[in-house]
Every structure is written in structure tokens, then in C-alpha cells.
Amino acid sequence: MKKAVVIGASGQIGRPTVEALAGDGWEVTAASRGGGRDRAWGDGVRTVRLDRSDHAALASVVGDGCDLLVDMIAYDTAHARQLTSLAGRVGSAVVISTVSVYDDGKGRNFDTLHEPDGFPAYPVPVPESRPTVAPGEGSYSARKVALEHELLAADGKLPVTVLRPGAVHGPYSPLPRELYFVKRNLDGRRRRVLSYQGESRFHPSSARNIAELVRLAAARPGTRVLNACDGEAPTVAEIGAAVDAVMGAETETALLDGPPDGSVGRTPWSVPLPVVFDMSAAERELGYRPVVSYAESLPETVDWLTDTLCGRDWRECFPLLAQAYPDLFDYAAEDARLAA
Ligand SMILES: NC(=O)c1ccc[n+]([C@@H]2O[C@H](COP(=O)([O-])OP(=O)(O)OC[C@H]3O[C@@H](n4cnc5c(N)ncnc54)[C@H](OP(=O)(O)O)[C@@H]3O)[C@@H](O)[C@H]2O)c1
């Protein structure tokens, strides 16, 4: 059996990735600091506790060698060097980057989102050949670009597939954007407000589809960069309707023509211009076909969010989401606007 080591295995992308690789006949070692295990994993999956900042510990998990190293949580040049230093003992690697590396060619990107006229005007869809921000240490996006450059420079020593997901969704998400609609429905709110006429599109990436891309890349080692998104990029209004369908909720939506009014109408997908990525390279190079549509992926996410929330304060359950979007549930402001 071919051996795979997955770093960050117990997270939202790691869980379905381990499941997909094991299902494809890989002997998987699932590594994370807590050594967590998913119920869907069979007995053949070995879990290990690993802090990837301890290079000797990572080298020892790789041991005499493995055919595949998958890294969910690589963020910078140091992480890239850690992986490429294992070339010779590792057959190939798949590393998760992000679509936030893209620049629109006019200096606008995810780092300038909130500046006046800073929202990137990307082509629809964005292919991998489009420019990125400069590599550096100054931001998440710049560090991810530096990571990508360092990995791609190892071509010849270590084949690496770099995957760039969009808005990742699925159970165990530390940043579950879907909570915006799920919590409103759980709270019995039947009216809501969407900015930009509900037409915003910010391309989602089901963790199951990213896992499928890892599985395909693992079977065809190579050095490449690929977008890693769902087969469709629904509008925010369509996302809300899909959540309602899963939860059996009937809602009405008030539409704002333009941007959010303070917190009102601001969802995690509410963008003034479309942010949609081209998946044709993944289709061509790996034969990628999404294993789930956005709507098909939702029931397990909605169930997990409902169970996790279970009457608790959403900020305690999802601190990262609360940090990124502190006023996601400002019902008083929403009611005032609806009344007006
Ligand atoms: N969320 C998005 O919308 C989005 C969009 C684009 C790209 N991405 C990319 O997706 C990746 C994150 O994946 P995810 O959402 O699956 O993350 P996640 O759900 O937060 O899971 C992180 C995993 O890594 C483990 N981990 C954390 N620190 C570790 C360490 N020092 N050593 C070993 N294991 C460690 C965690 O388990 P323990 O805590 O037990 O260690 C867990 O298994 C990142 O590369 C990010 O840039 C995310």
C-alpha cells in the first residue's frame, strides 16, 4: 500500500481528505497536535500527535519515507522549506494555499478590500495564470504567495500540487460562514436583508471537493497550481435559499441596491464585485468533477452547526468567525432597518 501523511488531519479539510485517501487505498497517517480522529475513518487510519513546528517530530512521522505528504496548514516560507527539506523521502506533496493570493492587476486584492476603491475587479472566472500579490511577510496573502514560490522552486526535487480554495465550507469549520443563515433560521427570524441585491458571488469550496482534488493530485503527482473550488458559485441569495430548503424555513428577503447599511445586509459572502474562480485547469489536468454541489453539501454542515451551537453563544462556539465578522447577528439594527 502507498503511504500518505496528512498534516492538520483533524480539521475541516483534513477529515474528508483522510477519508478520501483511505477510500482510495492509501495507508494514511493522520497528524495533528491533538491526534484527533474522525468517526468516518476506518481502523486502517493511524493517528499521531504532531506539532508541525517541531521539525524533528515531523521528520520522524515521515520516517523512512512516504509516497504522499499533504499539508493543510502551511502558511509561509518556513513551512515550505520544512516540506522541501524532506524531498528524497517524500514522493510528492499536496499543499493548501488560498484564492486570496490573487491581485486584479491594478494593485487591488484581498489585502485592499476595505480601502476606498480597493475591492479587486477580477475577471470572471479567475484562472491560475492571473497575477498574485507580491510574496512577503506582511499579510496572510503575501505569506501564502511566498509559500507557493518556495514550493514550486523545488520542482525536480519534490513534485508539489498547490491547491487554492475559495470560501471553504463543511462540518468542523473554524469559520462557518453558513452560520449567518442557519442561526437566523434557528432564532425564528423570517425576514432578512441582503446588500447588493443579493447577487454577490464569492466562490465556495466544499471541504469534500477539496478532498477530491487532493485524492486526484495524489494519484497524478506533478508540480502545478490549481484553483480548488466548487462546481458552481451561487449568489448569496441562492445560498440563503439553499440553507432554507435544508432547514424547511420560509423566509422573505429585503434587498438593498448597494452596500450594507452598517451591519445590515452584510453577510460573509457580500461583495460588490464577483469573486469567482476558473476550475477548468483542474478538470483538464486531474479530471476533477465536484463530488458534491453546494446544495448537496449543506445538510451535514447545517446539522453540525445546529448541534455545535445548541443554545450557546455563537462567539464562544466560533471565536474565529466572531473575530472576522463581529456584527454578524445585529438583529436590533436589522429590525430597525426593516421597520423603516
Ligand atoms: N477557511 C477558509 O475559508 C479558507 C479559504 C482558503 C484557504 N484556506 C486554507 O485552509 C487551511 C486550513 O484548513 P482547515 O480549514 O481544514 O483548518 P482547521 O479546520 O482549522 O484545521 C486545522 C488542523 O490542523 C491541526 N493543527 C493546527 N496547528 C497544528 C500544528 N502546529 N501542528 C500540527 N497540526 C496542527 C488542527 O488540529 P490540532 O488543533 O489538534 O492540532 C486541525 O487538525 C489553511 O491552509 C488556510 O489557508 C481556508
Side-chain angles (χ1 to χ4, degrees):
M1 268 172 112
K2 286 192 161 193
K3 289 184 184 170
V5 172
V6 178
I7 307 170
S10 63
Q12 89 169 307
I13 306 174
R15 286 170 186 257
T17 297
V18 170
E19 189 183 341
L21 290 173
D24 219 17
W26 288 84
E27 185 184 307
V28 184
T29 299
S32 61
R33 286 169 306 181
R37 166 166 217 105
D38 190 270
R39 257 173 290 164
W41 299 347
D43 293 342
V45 172
R46 185 172 80 97
T47 57
V48 291
R49 286 177 193 272
L50 167 75
D51 186 336
R52 68 99 37 82
S53 62
D54 180 345
H55 184 61
L58 174 59
S60 128
V61 168
V62 169
D64 291 341
C66 64
D67 302 285
L68 173 71
L69 186 56
V70 185
D71 194 346
M72 304 298 167
I73 47 164
Y75 290 100
D76 55 25
T77 310
H79 288 156
R81 291 193 181 135
Q82 197 185 19
L83 301 178
T84 56
S85 74
L86 294 166
R89 283 203 273 158
V90 171
S92 71
V94 181
V95 179
I96 303 297
S97 182
T98 169
V99 293
S100 87
V101 295
Y102 288 110
D103 186 90
D104 73 353
K106 293 190 171 157
R108 292 174 301 204
N109 47 66
F110 276 58
D111 289 336
T112 65
L113 289 181
H114 303 297
E115 294 173 12
D117 195 31
F119 200 91
Y122 294 126
V124 179
V126 182
E128 292 83 348
S129 54
R130 293 296 298 178
T132 68
V133 300
E137 293 299 317
S139 71
Y140 166 74
S141 305
R143 283 191 291 277
K144 282 285 200 182
V145 174
L147 163 86
E148 291 188 355
H149 286 198
E150 191 71 24
L151 290 170
L152 299 175
D155 190 20
K157 279 200 304 177
L158 177 66
V160 183
T161 298
V162 170
L163 296 177
R164 294 175 174 165
V168 181
H169 58 103
Y172 301 95
S173 171
L175 196 77
R177 297 172 178 86
E178 281 67 19
L179 191 72
Y180 183 87
F181 292 114
V182 172
K183 181 169 157 52
R184 277 176 171 70
N185 285 341
L186 291 173
D187 292 340
R189 294 185 64 80
R190 294 294 169 252
R191 296 181 72 202
R192 58 197 180 206
V193 185
L194 295 177
S195 54
Y196 304 116
Q197 294 194 314
E199 287 175 357
S200 297
R201 291 200 295 157
F202 179 17
H203 211 148
S205 295
S206 162
R208 292 206 176 274
N209 286 332
I210 302 170
E212 171 67 357
L213 282 158
V214 175
R215 184 187 76 82
L216 292 168
R220 282 188 215 182
T223 295
R224 52 172 87 92
V225 181
L226 296 171
N227 291 331
C229 297
D230 288 348
E232 73 276 58
T235 65
V236 62
E238 289 167 342
I239 288 174
V243 173
D244 289 353
V246 172
M247 299 180 78
E250 285 187 20
T251 62
E252 284 173 38
T253 304
L255 299 174
L256 305 180
D257 284 339
D261 179 3
S263 65
V264 179
R266 177 181 295 134
T267 77
W269 302 272
S270 294
V271 287
L273 297 169
V275 181
V276 177
F277 299 91
D278 188 348
M279 289 308 300
S280 59
E283 289 163 16
R284 221 173 30 246
E285 285 199 31
L286 299 179
Y288 170 62
R289 299 283 174 276
V291 290
V292 280
S293 67
Y294 185 79
E296 287 164 351
S297 77
L298 268 181
E300 63 174 351
T301 305
V302 170
D303 284 351
W304 176 76
L305 285 171
T306 305
D307 291 350
T308 306
L309 203 53
C310 194
R312 293 194 294 149
D313 185 331
W314 71 279
R315 294 180 190 84
E316 278 172 31
C317 301
F318 306 109
L320 198 64
L321 186 73
Q323 197 186 324
Y325 306 101
D327 53 8
L328 219 45
F329 302 103
D330 186 352
Y331 292 162
E334 201 166 84
D335 286 341
R337 174 75 199 215
L338 283 165

